Amino acid sequence: MTSTNGRAPRARDVAAAAGVSTATVSRTFNAPDKVAPEARERVLEAARRLGWLPHAAGGALARGRTAIAGFVIPTFDNEVFAVQVGAMQAAFAERDITLLIGCSNYDSDRAATQVEAMLARGVEALAVVGEAQRPGLFDFLDARGVPFVVTYGCRPESPYRRVGFDNRAAYRDITRYLLDLGHRNFGLIFQPEENNDRVAERLAGVREELAERGLSVRPRHARIGRWGVRWGRESLRAILDADGPRPTAIICGNDHLAIGASLEARAMGVEVPGDLSITGFDDVSLAAELDPPLSTTRVDNARIGRTAAGMLLALLDGEAVPDRIEVPPVFIPRGTTARPR
Amino acid sequence: MTSTNGRAPRARDVAAAAGVSTATVSRTFNAPDKVAPEARERVLEAARRLGWLPHAAGGALARGRTAIAGFVIPTFDNEVFAVQVGAMQAAFAERDITLLIGCSNYDSDRAATQVEAMLARGVEALAVVGEAQRPGLFDFLDARGVPFVVTYGCRPESPYRRVGFDNRAAYRDITRYLLDLGHRNFGLIFQPEENNDRVAERLAGVREELAERGLSVRPRHARIGRWGVRWGRESLRAILDADGPRPTAIICGNDHLAIGASLEARAMGVEVPGDLSITGFDDVSLAAELDPPLSTTRVDNARIGRTAAGMLLALLDGEAVPDRIEVPPVFIPRGTTARPR
DNA sequence: TTGTACGCGTTATCAT
DNA sequence: ATGATAACGCGTACAA
């Protein structure tokens, strides 16, 4: 089939097969109108027959462009980032840009290592989840002239270009909603705070909103620790088993925690939302299907991914780009929130 | 800070700053023992100060090695593949190999396009989920001498190197388990079959096992269509609302479908597992936490990802590698399966 | 329209 | 131990 057995064919192989020079081969693909139709045909035919694919490394060097972008996420194993990645990759693919994905496992040193690896690969633009990165990381990118965007977190005061939403405001909204329902006694179930600016912002949002009404969360009712459904279960049990008055509302750091809390409440014979209101965050696909369906906040992560890609593409094109694009989250009251008894 | 304002520094910048040639710069990083300690220090210092990262494209060309591997998955938005990707990336990272991830959206043409893009990027090894790929794709890889592995699906008769498990056998096991409990009347709720060899194999497994006992699934009790919790709900309702005898056991193509079916059963007042047994597949993190906890089959996807990477690394090292590595799934009976009434 | 020749950034060979 | 220099594969001025 191919005459370049066992190794990838080069442009010179195609050129030889088509009886032209490598320049004509290159032009056939990069400036077809500058090639005579017959020659073009021969080249295309030869390229197809040999299965030639122009080696990107050569092209990158010659053009001074790699057509690679990067995205550093905390973990693959979270619907939120998976959706952002998918949308971003699709958006970049339309411009024939390859997206390199790096995973930090919520470790800012690993994130920095990933960024370095990506820079070595010649990424022309970079997206990063959250701004809680190693000090100097963004300066380094600036110094190298690599445009970047922070996704998901979108603090109003952030000095970086960003797309996402204000986590603090989102959690103030949730808290206010519960306050307006009449709740005064709150519990918190959250994922770890380390290397996660979003979580810190969310907690701050709740506490600020409560403080404005002279309220606060009792330490034993604030469970900030692990990720996942099980931590939600364990935490709810610990909160309800604690001495003193029980909270009437539990604000969770994400849907998985809230689902855990909801399941545990049922297991403990605590009625949701009658005895206890619970809120999640993210509107995971399962949230609406549960019984009772979870009150939560929807974030359009596909839009965040697409928008981030769009901003980076615009920056690469030298266009003006706003410092901040908000993708507003929407609180969706469903079956796990109600007035306290 | 850096003296190469706005652009990435080159080896020659470092060489100039350290008062050596680029050869010494290169050696400092690739063969440090061949460089005098003082010179080495000067180079390291200059590199650090300038923030030099060797541009991978140049190195790839010079070395004839890109240190890039690829993994084509159907979708990001599935815990199963997310975990495989994470583990594979971690395994490759230990050898300083960058993993390029491509997403086909269950479209074999897109998968082929992704593979081409990866080959153009110079991937040295490739993993692909499932063997249901465009005809000739694997031959193309063979012709170019790019080693590849099929993950997840692992048919005994498959002609390709693979790591995963036998989907057909796994579903025969599930079916046999239910038959042994006394079930004779089955329903099926499955994700789409197109471009998904695993699903086809799973369905075949159920049907074979039933056929051996002279049983089959009534067409109206076989719902093969969409993905996700909602399809599970809709399908269960349709099955239970159909005329004629109701199934006593529902075999689902994955956990999400089973969770949907389980939720709908409860909503319809059908007792699980008393009136109806339900099985899932994958042992998603939520499965064990539900009420009742889902009977399902656990697959060690992290191991699949690690093993696939290991096989590819071994192949790159020219070592002998088995054609097939089985990562056996484990059926976990929990609360959604019981004897029929 | 086409081919020659150079350069992209790095590594590796070969002198020194 | 070190430096000049020639690849690597491609794109693109420039010349023809």
Side-chain angles (χ1 to χ4, degrees):
Chain A
M1 187 110 177
T2 83
S3 62
T4 59
N5 267 329
R7 54 171 260 278
R10 320 264 165 259
R12 69 154 52 118
D13 299 322
V14 177
V20 297
S21 72
T22 58
T24 299
V25 173
S26 178
R27 276 192 287 260
T28 300
F29 291 89
N30 299 309
D33 43 323
K34 293 188 172 183
V35 175
E38 318 87 62
R40 198 183 345 179
E41 269 321 307
R42 289 207 313 279
V43 170
L44 289 173
E45 148 68 13
R48 206 171 38 69
R49 190 158 43 83
L50 296 178
W52 179 65
L53 297 169
H55 194 308
L61 238 38
R63 280 195 251 251
R65 287 210 45 199
T66 57
I68 299 180
F71 189 19
V72 179
I73 59 177
T75 174
F76 284 107
D77 197 11
N78 183 332
E79 197 172 321
V80 167
F81 307 122
V83 170
Q84 285 184 33
V85 166
M88 193 179 297
Q89 178 161 286
F92 277 124
E94 285 182 15
R95 293 272 297 262
D96 288 315
I97 289 180
T98 299
L99 183 65
L100 223 49
I101 299 146
C103 179
S104 73
N105 288 318
Y106 290 99
D107 173 341
S108 56
D109 282 336
R110 281 181 63 105
T113 308
Q114 299 279 354
V115 169
E116 284 192 2
M118 289 180 172
L119 289 174
R121 291 269 172 215
V123 290
E124 302 177 37
L126 205 58
V128 188
V129 172
E131 56 178 298
Q133 302 301 331
R134 193 159 78 181
L137 183 72
F138 292 125
D139 293 335
F140 190 58
L141 292 174
D142 273 332
R144 295 177 70 105
V146 175
F148 63 90
V149 179
V150 172
T151 76
Y152 206 44
C154 183
R155 274 176 47 234
E157 317 80 27
S158 168
Y160 309 113
R161 197 168 277 112
R162 57 214 183 274
V163 51
F165 57 93
D166 183 345
N167 280 273
R168 185 182 298 227
Y171 268 73
R172 291 192 70 145
D173 290 346
I174 295 167
T175 309
R176 194 176 321 113
Y177 178 83
L178 291 167
L179 283 166
D180 291 349
L181 281 178
H183 293 277
R184 292 297 176 267
N185 212 331
F186 291 82
L188 302 176
I189 303 179
F190 270 73
Q191 60 273 50
E193 260 185 293
E194 296 110 49
N195 291 303
N196 193 330
D197 48 339
R198 285 90 63 207
V199 170
E201 284 289 306
R202 291 174 187 185
L203 284 165
V206 174
R207 296 198 150 118
E208 281 179 12
E209 191 69 29
L210 289 180
E212 285 191 2
R213 312 246 189 151
L215 299 172
S216 66
V217 177
R218 302 171 71 208
R220 70 185 57 171
H221 291 166
R223 309 265 307 176
I224 297 149
R226 294 205 317 276
W227 217 92
V229 176
R230 172 142 301 161
W231 177 244
R233 294 198 86 128
E234 292 174 12
S235 295
L236 188 80
R237 179 168 290 270
I239 289 171
L240 295 187
D241 282 349
D243 294 334
R246 286 180 167 181
T248 62
I250 306 285
I251 298 176
C252 298
N254 66 38
D255 280 354
H256 290 260
L257 298 168
I259 289 169
S262 185
L263 290 166
E264 187 65 20
R266 169 181 298 208
M268 292 177 73
V270 174
E271 202 180 300
V272 176
D275 297 326
L276 187 69
S277 286
I278 298 176
T279 63
F281 200 87
D282 290 334
D283 195 27
V284 158
S285 52
L286 194 64
E289 307 293 339
L290 291 170
D291 176 35
L294 185 64
S295 297
T296 186
T297 300
R298 171 176 297 164
V299 177
D300 189 343
N301 283 294
R303 191 139 89 93
I304 290 179
R306 265 195 311 276
T307 306
M311 290 170 84
L312 292 174
L313 286 168
L315 288 167
L316 288 175
D317 293 342
E319 296 169 14
V321 169
D323 274 353
R324 171 184 167 200
I325 297 186
E326 192 100 12
V327 174
V330 182
F331 180 73
I332 305 176
R334 286 199 276 242
T336 59
T337 43
R339 304 188 164 282
R341 283 239 163 89
Chain B
M1 186 114 181
T2 82
S3 62
T4 61
N5 265 329
R7 52 172 263 277
R10 320 264 166 258
R12 70 152 52 117
D13 299 323
V14 177
V20 297
S21 73
T22 59
T24 299
V25 172
S26 177
R27 275 192 288 259
T28 301
F29 291 89
N30 299 311
D33 44 320
K34 294 189 172 181
V35 175
E38 318 86 62
R40 200 184 342 179
E41 268 322 304
R42 290 207 312 280
V43 169
L44 288 173
E45 148 67 14
R48 207 172 37 71
R49 191 159 43 85
L50 296 178
W52 179 65
L53 297 169
H55 194 308
L61 235 40
R63 282 195 248 251
R65 287 209 46 199
T66 57
I68 299 179
F71 188 19
V72 179
I73 60 176
T75 174
F76 283 106
D77 196 11
N78 184 332
E79 195 172 323
V80 166
F81 306 122
V83 170
Q84 285 184 33
V85 166
M88 193 178 296
Q89 178 161 288
F92 276 125
E94 284 182 15
R95 293 272 298 263
D96 289 315
I97 289 180
T98 299
L99 183 65
L100 223 49
I101 299 146
C103 178
S104 73
N105 287 319
Y106 291 99
D107 173 340
S108 56
D109 282 336
R110 280 182 64 106
T113 308
Q114 300 278 356
V115 169
E116 285 193 2
M118 289 180 170
L119 290 173
R121 291 268 171 215
V123 290
E124 301 177 38
L126 205 58
V128 188
V129 172
E131 56 177 300
Q133 302 301 333
R134 194 159 77 181
L137 183 71
F138 292 124
D139 294 335
F140 190 58
L141 292 174
D142 273 331
R144 294 177 72 105
V146 175
F148 63 90
V149 179
V150 172
T151 76
Y152 205 46
C154 181
R155 275 175 46 233
E157 317 80 27
S158 167
Y160 309 113
R161 195 168 281 113
R162 59 214 181 274
V163 51
F165 58 93
D166 184 345
N167 280 274
R168 186 182 298 230
Y171 268 74
R172 291 192 70 145
D173 290 346
I174 296 167
T175 309
R176 194 177 321 110
Y177 178 83
L178 292 166
L179 284 165
D180 290 349
L181 281 178
H183 293 276
R184 292 298 176 267
N185 213 331
F186 291 82
L188 302 176
I189 303 179
F190 270 72
Q191 59 272 53
E193 260 185 293
E194 296 111 48
N195 292 304
N196 193 328
D197 48 339
R198 285 91 62 207
V199 171
E201 284 289 307
R202 291 174 186 184
L203 284 165
V206 174
R207 296 198 151 117
E208 280 178 15
E209 191 69 29
L210 290 180
E212 285 191 2
R213 312 246 189 149
L215 298 172
S216 66
V217 176
R218 304 169 71 207
R220 71 185 59 172
H221 291 165
R223 309 265 308 176
I224 297 148
R226 295 206 315 275
W227 216 93
V229 176
R230 171 140 301 160
W231 178 244
R233 295 198 86 130
E234 292 174 11
S235 296
L236 188 80
R237 181 169 287 271
I239 289 171
L240 295 187
D241 281 349
D243 294 333
R246 286 180 167 182
T248 62
I250 306 286
I251 298 177
C252 298
N254 65 39
D255 279 354
H256 289 260
L257 298 168
I259 289 169
S262 184
L263 289 167
E264 186 66 19
R266 169 182 297 211
M268 292 177 74
V270 173
E271 202 180 302
V272 176
D275 296 327
L276 187 68
S277 286
I278 298 176
T279 63
F281 200 86
D282 290 334
D283 195 26
V284 158
S285 51
L286 194 65
E289 307 293 338
L290 290 170
D291 175 37
L294 185 64
S295 298
T296 185
T297 300
R298 171 177 298 167
V299 176
D300 189 343
N301 284 294
R303 189 139 90 93
I304 291 179
R306 263 195 311 277
T307 306
M311 290 171 83
L312 293 174
L313 286 169
L315 287 167
L316 289 176
D317 292 342
E319 296 168 15
V321 169
D323 274 353
R324 171 183 167 200
I325 297 185
E326 193 100 11
V327 175
V330 182
F331 180 73
I332 305 176
R334 288 199 275 242
T336 58
T337 43
R339 304 189 165 282
R341 286 241 162 89

